[in-house]
Structures are given as structure tokens and as C-alpha cells.
């Protein structure tokens, strides 16, 4: 907790310093941590691994009923997602990712690239190596990382109150043991079940529509009255929530 607070403070200090000296985007180095460091300003037309890494972090800001492609190409959809991210955190919303935007991302992530409020352990209570699902272990883990950044955006939109994860990645054996659907998105690493907490299941389902989840199943859908399920692929059904 102390490390996270220190990272946040450092990022805020550097952002304020850049503002005070009238720094332009790309004029000063951004604060970095142990995960990933961006070395250039990114804007529409750019491409590469640094763009893909940015897309992962802003995957939760695609807009209503939309999903951002994680393809390493900075197109109009990525620009819009960056703008929404910047707006959410009180930054100049110009759609250009420079030091201030990167500093905010650095403050939001841990050294393993997960957002500070979620972890790989939370997203995988099945096994230790992400194996045995419908995709390779590496793909399942990568899918879970994108889901975590979407959850971080959802959490922020809901007042930065905690979100309780009850289930994430499942191997076929884990999925069978809990009676999961044979085509469950949990097998792919991007399916996440959320339990009630500071927010009702319906509130979680309704807000999730804005944060890149194309599958949302909640109260009123068979077998989902005790949790809200979100994932990257599928449709929405939560009749008790008006969805």
C-alpha cells in the first residue's frame, strides 16, 4: 500500500511540475516503474508495441457498447479511448498520450503491469499457471490482464469503491467442477464474475456497458441472480436490471 501511495504521489508531483513550467507534450521524461516505459508521445497515426501497451491500459474507455481493438494501431477509436481516460482523470483531453497521460498510467499500475486494484491471483483461483483452458496459458493470462484494466475503469467510474471478483480464469476441469457452460468465457481468461459489495449486481451490470465488456450477464438471467458476469465476447442479458 505504501509503494502504491508513493507511486501516485510521485506521478502527481511530476505532472504538476510539468504544468508549472509550461512543458509541452513530449518535452519531459515520464515517471516510470518496473512494468513498461513509454519513450515517445503517441497520437493518431502511430503504431507499434508501445501503442498496443497503451491500448491495454485504456481498454476500459471505448464508449457505450464498444470494444477497443488491441492491435498496436493508433486509430480514431484509440484516440477516443485516450480522451475518455484523460477526462476521467482530469487531464487535458486532447487524445494525445504524452508524459501526463503516461504518469497517470504509471501511478495506476503495479510492476507486473496489473492495475493497482486487481491482481493475477484474483483473476485465477483455478491453478497457478493458466493452463488447461480453451486457449494457451499465455493468451489466457493476457486476456485476463485486459479484463483487469477494464475493471479498473469500471471501479473508477463507480467512485473508486471496491469491486469483488468471485471467479476468473478456469481450466476445463475447474469449469466442469463448478457447472460452468461448455463455451464459458472463463475458459478464455476474459470472463469475470463479480459479487455484490458497495454496488448492487445491477449497478455493476449497467455501468459495465461503458467499459468494453461485450458480454454482461446478471440478475434475471438463468444462474446469475447471485453475481454479474462480464467478458469480452457475447451479449447482454440481465432482465431484472432492465438489460
Amino acid at each position: 500500500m505504501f509503494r502504491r501511495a508513493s507511486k501516485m504521489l510521485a506521478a502527481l508531483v511530476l505532472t504538476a511540475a510539468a504544468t508549472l513550467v509550461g512543458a509541452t507534450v513530449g518535452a519531459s521524461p515520464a515517471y516510470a516503474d518496473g512494468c513498461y516505459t513509454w519513450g515517445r508521445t503517441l497520437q493518431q497515426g502511430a503504431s507499434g508495441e508501445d501503442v498496443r501497451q497503451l491500448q491495454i491500459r485504456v481498454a476500459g474507455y471505448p464508449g457505450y457498447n464498444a470494444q477497443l481493438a488491441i492491435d498496436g494501431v493508433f486509430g480514431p477509436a484509440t484516440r477516443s479511448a485516450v480522451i475518455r481516460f484523460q477526462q476521467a482523470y482530469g487531464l487535458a483531453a486532447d487524445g494525445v498520450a504524452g508524459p501526463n497521460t503516461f504518469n497517470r498510467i504509471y501511478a495506476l499500475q503495479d510492476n507486473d503491469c496489473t492495475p493497482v486494484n486487481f491482481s493475477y491471483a484474483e483473476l485465477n483461483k483455478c491453478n497457478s499457471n493458466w493452463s488447461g483452458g480453451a486457449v494457451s496459458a499465455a493468451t489466457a493470462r493476457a486476456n485476463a490482464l485486459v479484463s483487469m484494466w477494464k475493471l479498473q475503469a469500471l471501479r473508477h467510474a463507480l467512485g473508486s469503491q471496491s469491486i469483488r471478483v468471485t471467479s476468473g480464469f478456469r481450466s476445463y476441469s475447474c469449469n466442469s467442477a463448478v457447472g460452468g457452460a461448455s463455451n464459458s468465457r472463463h475458459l478464455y481468461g476474459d470472463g469475470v464474475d463479480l459479487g455484490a459489495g458497495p454496488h448492487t449486481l445491477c449497478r455493476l451490470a449497467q455501468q459495465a456497458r461503458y467499459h468494453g465488456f461485450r458480454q454482461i450477464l446478471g440478475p434475471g438471467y438463468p444462474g446469475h441472480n447471485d453475481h454479474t458476469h462480464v467478458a469480452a465476447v457475447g451479449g447482454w442479458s440481465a432482465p431484472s436490471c432492465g438489460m
Side-chain angles (χ1 to χ4, degrees):
M1 182 62 72
F2 176 76
R3 182 173 64 80
R4 291 177 180 177
S6 298
K7 286 171 60 181
M8 181 70 79
L9 178 59
L12 290 175
V13 169
L14 285 171
T15 297
T19 301
L20 287 173
V21 300
T24 58
V25 172
S28 60
Y31 170 74
D33 63 10
C35 170
Y36 187 84
T37 301
W38 283 269
R40 60 170 176 159
T41 293
L42 298 177
Q43 56 190 326
Q44 191 165 326
S47 62
E49 176 61 17
D50 50 0
V51 174
R52 193 184 73 85
Q53 291 290 335
L54 174 65
Q55 289 170 328
I56 291 171
R57 282 28 168 225
V58 299
Y61 294 92
Y64 182 83
N65 191 23
Q67 187 174 68
L68 182 64
I70 313 297
D71 59 6
V73 177
F74 199 128
T78 298
R79 180 178 183 274
S80 294
V82 170
I83 287 173
R84 293 186 188 96
F85 175 86
Q86 292 168 330
Q87 291 171 332
Y89 286 97
L91 304 175
D94 57 5
V96 176
N100 289 347
T101 298
F102 296 139
N103 283 338
R104 174 55 61 182
I105 292 174
Y106 294 141
L108 286 172
Q109 71 184 8
D110 277 329
N111 286 343
D112 62 356
C113 299
T114 61
V116 294
N117 296 114
F118 298 93
S119 69
Y120 283 117
E122 248 183 315
L123 271 286
N124 182 359
K125 300 175 183 179
C126 170
N127 60 37
S128 62
N129 59 11
W130 301 85
S131 66
V135 292
S136 71
T139 297
R141 195 172 189 268
N143 288 344
L145 180 62
V146 175
S147 289
M148 280 187 269
W149 281 99
K150 292 178 182 181
L151 290 173
Q152 187 71 30
L154 174 62
R155 186 183 189 277
H156 185 67
L158 292 173
S160 296
Q161 294 179 303
S162 63
I163 291 179
R164 186 164 62 92
V165 174
T166 61
S167 183
F169 167 75
R170 300 173 191 160
S171 65
Y172 279 106
S173 58
C174 288
N175 190 58
S176 177
V178 298
S182 61
N183 62 344
S184 172
R185 293 307 303 181
H186 291 281
L187 297 165
Y188 295 81
D190 60 65
V192 186
D193 290 347
L194 310 175
H199 312 289
T200 66
L201 298 178
C202 281
R203 184 74 184 94
L204 292 168
Q206 291 161 350
Q207 186 62 39
R209 296 175 294 182
Y210 297 86
H211 299 290
F213 295 109
R214 299 307 300 271
Q215 184 176 65
I216 305 171
L217 305 175
Y221 184 81
H224 289 71
N225 287 325
D226 62 348
H227 69 280
T228 289
H229 168 87
V230 294
V233 178
W236 299 348
S237 185
S240 299
C241 307
M243 293 172 57

